[in-house]
Amino acid sequence: MEKVKKGRKKGTTDTLGESDESIFIRLASEEHSTSFRELVDAKKAQFKIGTDYEFSKMVGIPNNTLVRLIDGETQKVDLFSILKVCQFLGIDINEMAEIFVASLDSEFISELSLATKANFILRNFNLNALKKIGFIKSTTDFKAIDRKITRWFGIDTINQYATDLPSTLFSKIKQYTPDEMRIMWIVGAIAQFRKLNNPHPYDREALLALIPKIRPYTRDEEAGFVMVVRALYRAGVTVIVQKYLANTAVKGACFVVDGKPCVVITNYRGKYSTLWFTLIHELYHVLFDLEALKSWNFHLSGEYDLSNDLFKEDMADSFARDRLLPKARLDYIRPMIDTPAYVNEYAAKQQVHPSIIYDMHCYEEKIKRGRDVYARYQHFFGSSEEAIRLIKTAPFDYESVYDGLDTVQRVYEFSPEQLNSNSPTF
């Protein structure tokens, strides 16, 4: 079947089907093509690949083969021979490639598939960051990377990453941030909320009634936070606590998953006082920004982003401070802030944990007077570890993003006696 087209002009961009003379002229011309060296260097720069050796390992070919390709030896022998055969047979190079691939053994097909997966992984995941946190051991072993990511998300192939999300949502996530780690964190959080699948419908009135009751629970360092999270769960608001996302200022996040509000607390800096402040901050977004959340699907608090025009962070901060300790009450105790006995006695009367008083005092000093006194009072802020012990997830530390969720879900159904708590029930 004759596919060779006659009468093409020299210099045309279509080399397939031209006369042999035209092809030879174009192959010898540098102005119409990019060198293989330039293509390799561009890809290395795009994905921050340091050396040709690393590149060859990622592609899955011997380094000496890559060197021959770069030097032109393989191009002049193999590719040129293929082009001559194509011209003689009257077929284009794509058809020739299909015939060639169809004749390959399964092991070679697997190698080609791995090269495709490697390209997908490089475009969608920050391998250096994943190695830094111990999620992967090597940034060049793509078989291991592919196994780790697919097992972690519970998917069959790497190309299924985020395919269960609506395309518009994934587009928003990518628009929100170019950081692959942050994207993976968001996708992983959504996966966890879907797995938990809170059976309780969202009840805004129940949430409004619950928030004024939160403050006394801050005094129970062992079980107070879990008690509040259980009450929120029954009001249709699912809360999980995750390890802080490195290199960000993200303290918390709100999502709408399958129509229900969900909250992630990142345990920012491990402070007990921040744990409560962040929770109530996020509950403000659930109460007053739910329609915007339904439109945007998620919001990370603590950083400026494209969604901040929809979500008023200052108002959420004020809401949290007022619910924990109104400003007038804070102003009353601030002159005695350096006398812990007075602070502890006052905190007991106000039914609030003393760490919250110290933290809010530092905030006022920094915002109103420009004085950073956090280091001076940091030993009063307390640790959140005991409070979140039963419900903390650390998905990047596990084999699967879902590991530990069964334990968390059982905690949601605990009774006060099982929690060994002195706090009242809601």
Side-chain angles (χ1 to χ4, degrees):
M1 183 168 56
E2 180 62 43
K3 292 189 178 181
V4 178
K5 298 181 181 179
K6 308 294 184 180
R8 298 288 182 95
K9 294 181 180 180
K10 295 179 181 179
T12 179
T13 57
D14 183 8
T15 62
L16 301 176
E18 296 181 9
S19 66
D20 286 345
E21 179 185 2
S22 176
I23 291 174
F24 298 152
I25 292 172
R26 284 181 51 75
L27 287 173
S29 172
E30 295 183 356
E31 64 177 341
H32 293 97
S33 63
T34 302
S35 72
F36 192 78
R37 168 82 274 172
E38 290 170 331
L39 290 172
V40 170
D41 286 345
K43 186 64 71 173
K44 283 165 58 182
Q46 180 182 357
F47 295 120
K48 298 180 176 61
I49 302 170
T51 65
D52 288 345
Y53 177 73
E54 290 179 304
F55 185 92
S56 68
K57 288 199 68 175
M58 290 179 174
V59 175
I61 63 174
N63 187 54
N64 58 359
T65 300
L66 178 65
V67 171
R68 290 200 303 273
L69 283 167
I70 292 172
D71 291 343
E73 295 176 12
T74 304
Q75 287 175 296
K76 291 176 182 175
V77 178
D78 298 338
L79 183 57
F80 189 60
S81 297
I82 291 172
L83 284 171
K84 288 197 293 183
V85 171
C86 287
Q87 291 297 307
F88 183 82
L89 296 176
I91 62 176
D92 63 38
I93 198 167
N94 289 327
E95 189 173 350
M96 183 66 176
E98 291 176 6
I99 295 169
F100 174 73
V101 170
S103 68
L104 290 175
D105 292 336
S106 59
E107 62 181 289
F108 296 110
I109 297 292
S110 178
E111 288 187 22
L112 287 174
S113 174
L114 184 60
T116 302
K117 291 176 181 178
N119 180 272
F120 182 90
I121 290 169
L122 284 169
R123 287 187 288 109
N124 289 281
F125 299 93
N126 186 330
L127 300 187
N128 289 327
L130 289 175
K131 183 180 179 182
K132 186 175 181 180
I133 65 173
F135 185 81
I136 59 175
K137 296 180 179 179
S138 167
T139 59
T140 58
D141 186 351
F142 280 91
K143 286 184 179 179
I145 295 169
D146 176 55
R147 284 195 303 270
K148 177 67 176 182
I149 294 175
T150 53
R151 187 184 302 123
W152 194 74
F153 275 109
I155 53 181
D156 296 324
T157 68
I158 196 70
N159 290 330
Q160 290 177 288
Y161 172 60
T163 54
D164 64 333
L165 299 180
S167 58
T168 53
L169 172 56
F170 195 59
S171 296
K172 284 180 180 178
I173 296 173
K174 295 178 76 173
Q175 179 187 9
Y176 177 94
T177 173
D179 179 14
E180 297 92 343
M181 280 296 292
R182 198 179 275 101
I183 292 172
M184 187 176 178
W185 187 88
I186 293 171
V187 174
I190 293 172
Q192 290 180 81
F193 286 124
R194 284 185 166 172
K195 178 72 172 179
L196 287 169
N197 191 26
N198 189 338
H200 302 284
Y202 171 56
D203 187 339
R204 188 174 189 272
E205 294 304 314
L207 178 58
L208 280 169
L210 189 156
I211 288 177
K213 301 176 183 178
I214 287 178
R215 189 166 67 217
Y217 288 84
T218 67
R219 295 190 57 80
D220 185 346
E221 296 180 24
E222 182 180 352
F225 192 80
V226 174
M227 295 287 289
V228 171
V229 166
R230 289 176 63 252
L232 290 169
Y233 185 75
R234 291 193 169 107
V237 181
T238 307
V239 179
I240 60 174
V241 181
Q242 283 193 177
K243 183 182 287 187
Y244 167 65
L245 183 62
N247 301 318
T248 72
V250 176
K251 298 177 182 178
C254 274
F255 296 83
V256 170
V257 179
D258 297 331
K260 295 181 182 179
C262 303
V263 171
V264 178
I265 307 298
T266 66
N267 195 25
Y268 182 68
R269 296 182 177 175
K271 290 164 50 179
Y272 185 72
S273 52
T274 302
L275 189 70
W276 290 100
F277 180 87
T278 304
L279 174 65
I280 301 179
H281 174 108
E282 299 304 328
L283 293 179
Y284 171 90
H285 291 311
V286 172
L287 278 173
F288 302 107
D289 294 328
L290 189 59
E291 291 308 311
L293 271 172
K294 287 179 179 178
S295 171
W296 196 261
N297 295 109
F298 66 95
H299 169 65
L300 307 189
S301 297
E303 295 185 324
Y304 178 79
D305 58 73
L306 294 173
S307 64
N308 271 33
D309 291 336
L310 298 174
F311 305 98
K312 306 304 182 184
E313 296 296 271
D314 289 346
M315 294 182 68
D317 285 347
S318 296
F319 180 83
R321 284 192 293 271
D322 288 344
R323 271 45 187 191
L324 289 170
L325 191 67
K327 189 176 183 305
R329 298 180 187 180
L330 175 64
D331 289 342
Y332 176 85
I333 192 61
R334 286 184 67 197
M336 296 171 281
I337 199 70
D338 290 320
T339 308
Y342 284 126
V343 175
N344 292 337
E345 182 181 355
Y346 187 74
K349 289 180 179 179
Q350 298 302 319
Q351 294 187 300
V352 69
H353 194 275
S355 66
I356 292 171
I357 295 177
Y358 287 109
D359 202 350
M360 292 177 65
H361 166 72
C362 293
Y363 174 85
E364 287 290 317
E365 286 293 299
K366 188 170 184 178
I367 298 301
K368 304 297 184 183
R369 296 172 175 80
R371 297 174 58 223
D372 189 343
V373 296
Y374 279 95
R376 179 177 176 181
Y377 296 98
Q378 63 181 354
H379 57 290
F380 291 116
F381 295 154
S383 170
S384 61
E385 284 306 310
E386 184 62 26
I388 63 175
R389 177 176 55 85
L390 295 175
I391 57 172
K392 180 176 65 174
T393 68
F396 288 114
D397 296 343
Y398 298 148
E399 285 299 306
S400 166
V401 69
Y402 305 115
D403 285 352
L405 286 185
D406 289 343
T407 300
V408 171
Q409 195 150 33
R410 285 196 296 272
V411 170
Y412 290 146
E413 306 302 327
F414 275 1
S415 67
E417 292 76 19
Q418 288 173 299
L419 290 170
N420 192 28
S421 172
N422 295 320
S423 293
T425 58
F426 282 96

